[in-house]
Amino acid sequence: MIYAKDINEHTPWQDLTPGGEIYEPGTARAFDTGTWRTNTPVFHEEACKHCMLCVPFCPDSAIPVKDGKRLDFDYMHCKGCGICEDVCPFPAITMVTGGVVK
């Protein structure tokens, strides 16, 4: 089995798993995938109450937390799905069109 961290542009196709599937957990942190999103969340810190409802709903662990407070998005992992905006009970997150990495 080839590990995700060992796959790069020089990896021969014969060494890849069928369908290019990854058979190991937790590989999202190893790859910067935020550059291909079409929508971008904007964090409005002044409106955030740090209830943390958005954090467990984020499928990409793109909402960092430090000292009990959420920080701005990790845009290199955010895919722009908008789940965080949907679960936020405050006007602390809005989605904007565009895949701009901040």
Side-chain angles (χ1 to χ4, degrees):
M1 176 175 91
I2 188 167
Y3 291 97
K5 67 178 180 56
D6 299 323
I7 297 173
N8 59 49
E9 65 273 12
H10 303 293
T11 304
W13 68 268
Q14 297 92 338
D15 292 346
L16 298 176
T17 55
E21 295 178 357
I22 302 297
Y23 299 114
E24 58 187 297
T27 59
R29 288 183 189 261
F31 298 98
D32 293 337
T33 55
T35 57
W36 54 264
R37 80 178 152 269
T38 56
N39 295 306
T40 301
V42 176
F43 177 48
H44 306 286
E45 188 173 2
E46 68 284 351
C48 183
K49 306 296 184 207
H50 302 283
C51 67
M52 304 299 173
L53 287 175
C54 58
V55 176
F57 280 94
C58 179
D60 297 303
S61 300
I63 303 174
V65 176
K66 184 176 180 182
D67 298 327
K69 294 191 176 209
R70 71 147 290 169
L71 305 175
D72 201 355
F73 291 94
D74 176 355
Y75 289 107
M76 290 312 296
H77 288 99
C78 173
K79 312 278 188 309
C81 68
I83 294 172
C84 56
E85 180 188 40
D86 290 343
V87 301
C88 181
F90 308 101
I93 302 169
T94 54
M95 298 299 290
V96 297
T97 302
V100 178
V101 176
K102 298 193 177 208

